[in-house]
Amino acid sequence: QLQLRESGGGSVPAGGSLRLSCAASGFISNYCMGWFRQSPGKEREGVASLDNEDTSTYADSVKGRFTISKDNAKNNLYLQMNSLKPADTGMYYCAADPPPCRRFGQYVSSTLAANFRGQGTQVTVSS
C-alpha cells in the first residue's frame, strides 16, 4: 500500500509562487502520479498529471503557470506553482496509480480516481 504525504502549502499573495512536494513511502518509478485540488464551493479538479513515461498534462486553468515533476531516486513528486491567483486557493492532493496508467499522460482528471492519495496540503492565495 503506497502512502503519500504532501507538504509545501501555505499562504501567498497573488502573483507569488509555491512548490508542493509529495513524499511516497515506496518506489514510484513505474507509477503514474499527479495532483488534484478541492476549492471551496467547487468540485474537485485535476491539476496536473504525469504518466510513467514522463508525459504530462495540465488543466487549462494552470497551463503555463504550474509544472509537475518527479524524482524517482527520492520517491518524490513536485508541483511548482508560479503566478498564483486567488482562484488557485484550495486543498491540494497528491495521487498515484500503478501501471497500466497511460491515461495519466492524457487526462488530468485521471488523478481524481487514483488508487492512492495523500491527505492534502492547503494553498491560500490572497488578492
Side-chain angles (χ1 to χ4, degrees):
Q1 192 84 350
L2 189 70
Q3 295 182 338
L4 305 171
R5 184 174 62 190
E6 302 92 340
S7 61
S11 296
V12 295
S17 297
L18 284 173
R19 187 191 193 209
L20 304 185
S21 297
C22 172
S25 62
F27 297 111
I28 60 171
S29 59
N30 290 330
Y31 278 75
C32 297
M33 303 189 72
W35 296 88
F36 66 92
R37 65 188 179 190
Q38 177 77 66
S39 302
K42 298 181 180 179
E43 294 185 354
R44 290 184 305 160
E45 175 188 27
V47 175
S49 58
L50 193 65
D51 72 13
N52 51 10
E53 295 190 0
D54 290 339
T55 299
S56 60
T57 189
Y58 297 88
D60 288 342
S61 58
V62 307
K63 280 180 182 176
R65 301 188 296 121
F66 290 13
T67 302
I68 187 171
S69 62
K70 189 170 69 160
D71 186 334
N72 290 327
K74 296 183 178 179
N75 295 319
N76 281 353
L77 180 73
Y78 304 100
L79 186 68
Q80 178 66 43
M81 305 187 297
N82 299 328
S83 303
L84 282 162
K85 305 175 180 180
D88 295 318
T89 293
M91 187 71 80
Y92 283 70
Y93 298 88
C94 175
D97 250 7
C101 50
R102 291 298 302 277
R103 65 192 185 282
F104 270 63
Q106 298 173 297
Y107 309 109
V108 70
S109 57
S110 299
T111 56
L112 305 180
N115 283 293
F116 304 105
R117 62 187 66 180
Q119 295 189 339
T121 185
Q122 177 67 38
V123 172
T124 303
V125 184
S126 58
S127 57

PDB file of all heavy atoms in Angstrom, residues 81-100:
ATOM      1  N   MET A  81       4.357  25.962  -8.606  1.00  0.00           N
ATOM      2  CA  MET A  81       3.229  26.819  -8.928  1.00  0.00           C
ATOM      3  C   MET A  81       3.696  28.268  -8.942  1.00  0.00           C
ATOM      4  O   MET A  81       4.132  28.793  -7.917  1.00  0.00           O
ATOM      5  CB  MET A  81       2.116  26.626  -7.900  1.00  0.00           C
ATOM      6  CG  MET A  81       1.679  25.176  -7.749  1.00  0.00           C
ATOM      7  SD  MET A  81       0.223  24.991  -6.689  1.00  0.00           S
ATOM      8  CE  MET A  81       0.864  25.587  -5.129  1.00  0.00           C
ATOM      9  N   ASN A  82       3.616  28.888 -10.095  1.00  0.00           N
ATOM     10  CA  ASN A  82       4.016  30.282 -10.261  1.00  0.00           C
ATOM     11  C   ASN A  82       2.812  31.132 -10.644  1.00  0.00           C
ATOM     12  O   ASN A  82       1.782  30.608 -11.075  1.00  0.00           O
ATOM     13  CB  ASN A  82       5.097  30.402 -11.338  1.00  0.00           C
ATOM     14  CG  ASN A  82       6.358  29.639 -10.999  1.00  0.00           C
ATOM     15  OD1 ASN A  82       6.736  29.501  -9.829  1.00  0.00           O
ATOM     16  ND2 ASN A  82       7.032  29.130 -12.021  1.00  0.00           N
ATOM     17  N   SER A  83       2.976  32.426 -10.492  1.00  0.00           N
ATOM     18  CA  SER A  83       1.912  33.377 -10.863  1.00  0.00           C
ATOM     19  C   SER A  83       0.573  32.956 -10.264  1.00  0.00           C
ATOM     20  O   SER A  83      -0.449  32.920 -10.956  1.00  0.00           O
ATOM     21  CB  SER A  83       1.791  33.496 -12.388  1.00  0.00           C
ATOM     22  OG  SER A  83       3.021  33.893 -12.954  1.00  0.00           O
ATOM     23  N   LEU A  84       0.593  32.666  -8.999  1.00  0.00           N
ATOM     24  CA  LEU A  84      -0.608  32.155  -8.338  1.00  0.00           C
ATOM     25  C   LEU A  84      -1.725  33.187  -8.320  1.00  0.00           C
ATOM     26  O   LEU A  84      -1.473  34.403  -8.212  1.00  0.00           O
ATOM     27  CB  LEU A  84      -0.273  31.698  -6.921  1.00  0.00           C
ATOM     28  CG  LEU A  84       0.425  30.331  -6.852  1.00  0.00           C
ATOM     29  CD1 LEU A  84       1.119  30.148  -5.518  1.00  0.00           C
ATOM     30  CD2 LEU A  84      -0.571  29.221  -7.100  1.00  0.00           C
ATOM     31  N   LYS A  85      -2.950  32.687  -8.411  1.00  0.00           N
ATOM     32  CA  LYS A  85      -4.149  33.519  -8.418  1.00  0.00           C
ATOM     33  C   LYS A  85      -5.047  33.118  -7.244  1.00  0.00           C
ATOM     34  O   LYS A  85      -4.982  31.976  -6.786  1.00  0.00           O
ATOM     35  CB  LYS A  85      -4.914  33.320  -9.718  1.00  0.00           C
ATOM     36  CG  LYS A  85      -4.108  33.556 -10.979  1.00  0.00           C
ATOM     37  CD  LYS A  85      -4.928  33.212 -12.214  1.00  0.00           C
ATOM     38  CE  LYS A  85      -4.138  33.438 -13.488  1.00  0.00           C
ATOM     39  NZ  LYS A  85      -4.937  33.091 -14.694  1.00  0.00           N
ATOM     40  N   PRO A  86      -5.906  34.005  -6.789  1.00  0.00           N
ATOM     41  CA  PRO A  86      -6.848  33.617  -5.729  1.00  0.00           C
ATOM     42  C   PRO A  86      -7.677  32.382  -6.100  1.00  0.00           C
ATOM     43  O   PRO A  86      -8.014  31.580  -5.220  1.00  0.00           O
ATOM     44  CB  PRO A  86      -7.729  34.862  -5.598  1.00  0.00           C
ATOM     45  CG  PRO A  86      -6.825  35.989  -5.967  1.00  0.00           C
ATOM     46  CD  PRO A  86      -5.968  35.442  -7.092  1.00  0.00           C
ATOM     47  N   ALA A  87      -7.952  32.192  -7.386  1.00  0.00           N
ATOM     48  CA  ALA A  87      -8.723  31.018  -7.829  1.00  0.00           C
ATOM     49  C   ALA A  87      -7.962  29.713  -7.622  1.00  0.00           C
ATOM     50  O   ALA A  87      -8.550  28.632  -7.702  1.00  0.00           O
ATOM     51  CB  ALA A  87      -9.100  31.172  -9.301  1.00  0.00           C
ATOM     52  N   ASP A  88      -6.669  29.797  -7.362  1.00  0.00           N
ATOM     53  CA  ASP A  88      -5.873  28.592  -7.101  1.00  0.00           C
ATOM     54  C   ASP A  88      -5.987  28.129  -5.643  1.00  0.00           C
ATOM     55  O   ASP A  88      -5.450  27.072  -5.292  1.00  0.00           O
ATOM     56  CB  ASP A  88      -4.400  28.849  -7.422  1.00  0.00           C
ATOM     57  CG  ASP A  88      -4.155  29.117  -8.896  1.00  0.00           C
ATOM     58  OD1 ASP A  88      -4.750  28.416  -9.729  1.00  0.00           O
ATOM     59  OD2 ASP A  88      -3.356  30.035  -9.198  1.00  0.00           O
ATOM     60  N   THR A  89      -6.660  28.896  -4.829  1.00  0.00           N
ATOM     61  CA  THR A  89      -6.830  28.535  -3.420  1.00  0.00           C
ATOM     62  C   THR A  89      -7.566  27.213  -3.287  1.00  0.00           C
ATOM     63  O   THR A  89      -8.558  26.968  -3.975  1.00  0.00           O
ATOM     64  CB  THR A  89      -7.608  29.636  -2.684  1.00  0.00           C
ATOM     65  OG1 THR A  89      -6.805  30.812  -2.644  1.00  0.00           O
ATOM     66  CG2 THR A  89      -7.956  29.208  -1.270  1.00  0.00           C
ATOM     67  N   GLY A  90      -7.060  26.361  -2.403  1.00  0.00           N
ATOM     68  CA  GLY A  90      -7.715  25.078  -2.169  1.00  0.00           C
ATOM     69  C   GLY A  90      -6.792  24.090  -1.492  1.00  0.00           C
ATOM     70  O   GLY A  90      -5.627  24.394  -1.210  1.00  0.00           O
ATOM     71  N   MET A  91      -7.340  22.921  -1.245  1.00  0.00           N
ATOM     72  CA  MET A  91      -6.536  21.814  -0.705  1.00  0.00           C
ATOM     73  C   MET A  91      -5.996  21.029  -1.876  1.00  0.00           C
ATOM     74  O   MET A  91      -6.750  20.622  -2.766  1.00  0.00           O
ATOM     75  CB  MET A  91      -7.413  20.937   0.180  1.00  0.00           C
ATOM     76  CG  MET A  91      -6.650  19.857   0.930  1.00  0.00           C
ATOM     77  SD  MET A  91      -5.621  20.536   2.245  1.00  0.00           S
ATOM     78  CE  MET A  91      -6.867  20.786   3.509  1.00  0.00           C
ATOM     79  N   TYR A  92      -4.701  20.813  -1.880  1.00  0.00           N
ATOM     80  CA  TYR A  92      -4.035  20.115  -2.974  1.00  0.00           C
ATOM     81  C   TYR A  92      -3.642  18.714  -2.514  1.00  0.00           C
ATOM     82  O   TYR A  92      -3.022  18.546  -1.461  1.00  0.00           O
ATOM     83  CB  TYR A  92      -2.802  20.889  -3.429  1.00  0.00           C
ATOM     84  CG  TYR A  92      -3.149  22.076  -4.283  1.00  0.00           C
ATOM     85  CD1 TYR A  92      -3.780  23.196  -3.737  1.00  0.00           C
ATOM     86  CD2 TYR A  92      -2.867  22.087  -5.645  1.00  0.00           C
ATOM     87  CE1 TYR A  92      -4.122  24.283  -4.521  1.00  0.00           C
ATOM     88  CE2 TYR A  92      -3.200  23.171  -6.444  1.00  0.00           C
ATOM     89  CZ  TYR A  92      -3.827  24.260  -5.876  1.00  0.00           C
ATOM     90  OH  TYR A  92      -4.158  25.343  -6.661  1.00  0.00           O
ATOM     91  N   TYR A  93      -3.992  17.745  -3.350  1.00  0.00           N
ATOM     92  CA  TYR A  93      -3.759  16.345  -3.025  1.00  0.00           C
ATOM     93  C   TYR A  93      -2.848  15.704  -4.071  1.00  0.00           C
ATOM     94  O   TYR A  93      -2.987  15.951  -5.278  1.00  0.00           O
ATOM     95  CB  TYR A  93      -5.071  15.577  -3.002  1.00  0.00           C
ATOM     96  CG  TYR A  93      -6.061  16.050  -1.978  1.00  0.00           C
ATOM     97  CD1 TYR A  93      -6.969  17.074  -2.262  1.00  0.00           C
ATOM     98  CD2 TYR A  93      -6.106  15.483  -0.700  1.00  0.00           C
ATOM     99  CE1 TYR A  93      -7.872  17.512  -1.327  1.00  0.00           C
ATOM    100  CE2 TYR A  93      -7.026  15.913   0.246  1.00  0.00           C
ATOM    101  CZ  TYR A  93      -7.905  16.925  -0.076  1.00  0.00           C
ATOM    102  OH  TYR A  93      -8.807  17.353   0.857  1.00  0.00           O
ATOM    103  N   CYS A  94      -1.976  14.860  -3.578  1.00  0.00           N
ATOM    104  CA  CYS A  94      -1.120  14.047  -4.428  1.00  0.00           C
ATOM    105  C   CYS A  94      -1.845  12.727  -4.708  1.00  0.00           C
ATOM    106  O   CYS A  94      -2.520  12.191  -3.820  1.00  0.00           O
ATOM    107  CB  CYS A  94       0.198  13.795  -3.683  1.00  0.00           C
ATOM    108  SG  CYS A  94       1.348  12.705  -4.499  1.00  0.00           S
ATOM    109  N   ALA A  95      -1.693  12.205  -5.915  1.00  0.00           N
ATOM    110  CA  ALA A  95      -2.378  10.974  -6.292  1.00  0.00           C
ATOM    111  C   ALA A  95      -1.431  10.083  -7.082  1.00  0.00           C
ATOM    112  O   ALA A  95      -0.541  10.569  -7.778  1.00  0.00           O
ATOM    113  CB  ALA A  95      -3.614  11.289  -7.139  1.00  0.00           C
ATOM    114  N   ALA A  96      -1.648   8.764  -6.983  1.00  0.00           N
ATOM    115  CA  ALA A  96      -0.778   7.825  -7.688  1.00  0.00           C
ATOM    116  C   ALA A  96      -1.545   6.575  -8.091  1.00  0.00           C
ATOM    117  O   ALA A  96      -2.470   6.144  -7.392  1.00  0.00           O
ATOM    118  CB  ALA A  96       0.413   7.441  -6.794  1.00  0.00           C
ATOM    119  N   ASP A  97      -1.152   6.015  -9.217  1.00  0.00           N
ATOM    120  CA  ASP A  97      -1.729   4.773  -9.710  1.00  0.00           C
ATOM    121  C   ASP A  97      -0.617   3.894 -10.268  1.00  0.00           C
ATOM    122  O   ASP A  97       0.294   4.393 -10.919  1.00  0.00           O
ATOM    123  CB  ASP A  97      -2.718   5.056 -10.834  1.00  0.00           C
ATOM    124  CG  ASP A  97      -4.146   4.797 -10.451  1.00  0.00           C
ATOM    125  OD1 ASP A  97      -4.413   4.514  -9.251  1.00  0.00           O
ATOM    126  OD2 ASP A  97      -5.015   4.859 -11.338  1.00  0.00           O
ATOM    127  N   PRO A  98      -0.714   2.594 -10.038  1.00  0.00           N
ATOM    128  CA  PRO A  98       0.252   1.684 -10.648  1.00  0.00           C
ATOM    129  C   PRO A  98      -0.110   1.470 -12.114  1.00  0.00           C
ATOM    130  O   PRO A  98      -1.220   1.769 -12.537  1.00  0.00           O
ATOM    131  CB  PRO A  98       0.085   0.403  -9.828  1.00  0.00           C
ATOM    132  CG  PRO A  98      -1.355   0.436  -9.429  1.00  0.00           C
ATOM    133  CD  PRO A  98      -1.687   1.882  -9.208  1.00  0.00           C
ATOM    134  N   PRO A  99       0.832   0.941 -12.898  1.00  0.00           N
ATOM    135  CA  PRO A  99       0.508   0.654 -14.307  1.00  0.00           C
ATOM    136  C   PRO A  99      -0.476  -0.498 -14.416  1.00  0.00           C
ATOM    137  O   PRO A  99      -0.563  -1.321 -13.498  1.00  0.00           O
ATOM    138  CB  PRO A  99       1.866   0.271 -14.902  1.00  0.00           C
ATOM    139  CG  PRO A  99       2.698  -0.137 -13.735  1.00  0.00           C
ATOM    140  CD  PRO A  99       2.217   0.644 -12.563  1.00  0.00           C
ATOM    141  N   PRO A 100      -1.247  -0.548 -15.517  1.00  0.00           N
ATOM    142  CA  PRO A 100      -1.232   0.382 -16.653  1.00  0.00           C
ATOM    143  C   PRO A 100      -1.959   1.675 -16.309  1.00  0.00           C
ATOM    144  O   PRO A 100      -3.021   1.644 -15.697  1.00  0.00           O
ATOM    145  CB  PRO A 100      -1.969  -0.399 -17.747  1.00  0.00           C
ATOM    146  CG  PRO A 100      -2.890  -1.314 -17.003  1.00  0.00           C
ATOM    147  CD  PRO A 100      -2.191  -1.672 -15.728  1.00  0.00           C
TER     148      PRO A 100
END
